[in-house]
Amino acid sequence: QTTFHYRTLRCGDEETPLDDSRARGKPMELIAGKKFKLPVWEAVLRTMRPGERARFRCDTKHVVLYPLVSKSLRNIAAGKDPLEGQRHCCSMAQLHEHYALGYPDLDELQKNPQPLIFDIEVLKVEAPGSYQQDPWAMTDEEKLQAVPLIHQEGNKLFRQGKVQEAAAKYYDAIACLKNLQMKEKPASPDWIELDQKITPLLLNYCQCKLQCEEYYEVLDHCSSILNKYEDNVKAYFKRGKAHAAVWNVAEAQADFAKVLDLDPSLRPVVSKELRSLEARLREKDAEDKIRFKGIFSQ
């Protein structure tokens, strides 16, 4: 894998820039041997070492697909699926997608192809097996193989107290499975099997978000789980903690009661949470009395 920065410029006196990875704050990563729509880049990168810089001009016939490549790279830089808009649509919609890319400069370049100048600086070259691909770059088989490994990495980071990093790992694993799930018919056996693999990862992600005090995200995710799996004790418990944290007292009590209905052995843990909630309510009442003391006697 080669990591590099690139600039793409139109040929001409002014050399108008089209793309600049530095401006987006994220370098490009290219895996040798993977299918890529600009083989000229791979050909050049194979001859370069870290720290080297190359500037070269490509004729129109070699860059006719650059607008499509650029759109994918811009989506990646924005944290989107590089194939966004190209799935689950009819042939007419795909034809429209091909000719209307959503970026005026790319639409113009696609209508009127011209030679381009590329300026590339290699930052890092890694041997095969020494890097982990982003989920969007994996094949379906690679995604399935990667999920257990990413899950383990997340668990290890969580045990080390690196909660934000663990959440990112769980998110990556969920993204792999969600991408595969999009290709299955909702509620089909394969879709359900993938969803059941997503659920424990999502619960781990929610635990990270609880510790990061991002309670409303926990409420959303746990509710989505419970809409499908009404007997998920962990989802009720985590949602109860999130409700308690944002002072949704009745909702928290209802969730904790549901936990006890489903698993009475958790009574000591639930009792502890309820006592903590009651103590916080007493503190809040005392603070409110002090804050509003005398306000009505003025």
Side-chain angles (χ1 to χ4, degrees), residues 138-146 176 179-180 183:
M138 298 179 185
T139 64
D140 289 354
E141 184 178 351
E142 287 171 339
K143 288 185 177 76
L144 280 174
Q145 293 174 350
C176 286
N179 182 272
L180 295 172
K183 302 175 184 179

Side-chain angles (χ1 to χ4, degrees), residues 185-198:
K185 182 179 179 181
S188 69
D190 288 339
W191 189 96
I192 291 171
E193 183 180 354
L194 288 166
D195 202 62
Q196 289 173 344
K197 291 179 179 179
I198 290 170

Side-chain angles (χ1 to χ4, degrees), residues 2-21:
T2 303
T3 304
F4 60 98
H5 275 302
Y6 69 94
R7 290 183 72 217
T8 305
L9 307 110
R10 292 177 182 268
C11 286
D13 295 337
E14 296 183 2
E15 294 188 353
T16 307
L18 275 172
D19 292 302
D20 187 343
S21 61

Side-chain angles (χ1 to χ4, degrees), residues 36-260:
F36 191 62
K37 293 179 180 178
L38 281 181
V40 65
W41 275 19
E42 185 168 343
V44 171
L45 287 165
R46 283 182 182 276
T47 67
M48 298 179 68
R49 296 181 180 181
E52 289 187 339
R53 189 164 183 168
R55 179 184 170 92
F56 55 97
R57 179 182 184 274
C58 284
D59 294 334
T60 302
K61 65 180 180 179
H62 293 125
V63 293
V64 66
L65 292 177
Y66 183 77
L68 289 172
V69 173
S70 178
K71 178 186 177 180
S72 293
L73 296 179
R74 292 179 187 189
N75 281 346
I76 292 168
K80 301 177 182 178
D81 188 327
L83 299 180
E84 184 178 87
Q86 298 181 33
R87 296 193 178 93
H88 302 298
C89 58
C90 66
S91 57
M92 288 301 295
Q94 288 181 340
L95 184 65
H96 173 76
E97 172 71 16
H98 180 77
Y99 287 101
L101 302 176
Y103 297 96
D105 55 346
L106 298 182
D107 290 337
E108 173 60 27
L109 182 61
Q110 187 155 253
K111 291 177 184 176
N112 302 294
Q114 66 177 85
L116 296 174
I117 295 171
F118 297 112
D119 189 328
I120 289 178
E121 181 184 3
V122 173
L123 304 176
K124 182 170 59 174
V125 178
E126 297 173 83
S130 62
Y131 59 88
Q132 180 176 302
Q133 300 177 49
D134 288 333
W136 62 264
M138 298 179 185
T139 64
D140 289 354
E141 184 178 351
E142 287 171 339
K143 288 185 177 76
L144 280 174
Q145 293 174 350
V147 166
L149 299 176
I150 301 173
H151 193 168
Q152 290 175 13
E153 291 174 8
N155 290 346
K156 182 179 179 181
L157 289 166
F158 187 84
R159 288 193 295 268
Q160 293 172 348
K162 299 176 181 178
V163 179
Q164 293 281 15
E165 293 89 339
K169 289 294 181 181
Y170 296 137
Y171 183 91
D172 284 345
I174 292 167
C176 286
L177 294 173
K178 284 285 189 182
N179 182 272
L180 295 172
Q181 194 181 42
M182 286 173 59
K183 302 175 184 179
E184 304 294 340
K185 182 179 179 181
S188 69
D190 288 339
W191 189 96
I192 291 171
E193 183 180 354
L194 288 166
D195 202 62
Q196 289 173 344
K197 291 179 179 179
I198 290 170
T199 299
L201 286 162
L202 191 53
L203 287 168
N204 286 357
Y205 180 78
C206 285
Q207 183 60 41
C208 293
K209 293 301 173 179
L210 273 175
Q211 293 191 211
C212 294
E213 300 183 355
E214 298 178 33
Y215 303 117
Y216 289 102
E217 190 168 357
V218 176
L219 293 175
D220 288 342
H221 290 312
C222 287
S223 294
S224 72
I225 291 172
L226 292 168
N227 285 336
K228 293 176 288 187
Y229 307 107
E230 297 180 356
D231 60 346
N232 193 297
V233 177
K234 290 183 178 180
Y236 277 115
F237 186 77
K238 295 181 194 302
R239 193 174 71 172
K241 286 176 68 72
H243 274 309
V246 296
W247 302 106
N248 296 336
V249 178
E251 291 85 348
Q253 292 171 336
D255 278 347
F256 288 136
K258 190 66 177 179
V259 170
L260 292 179

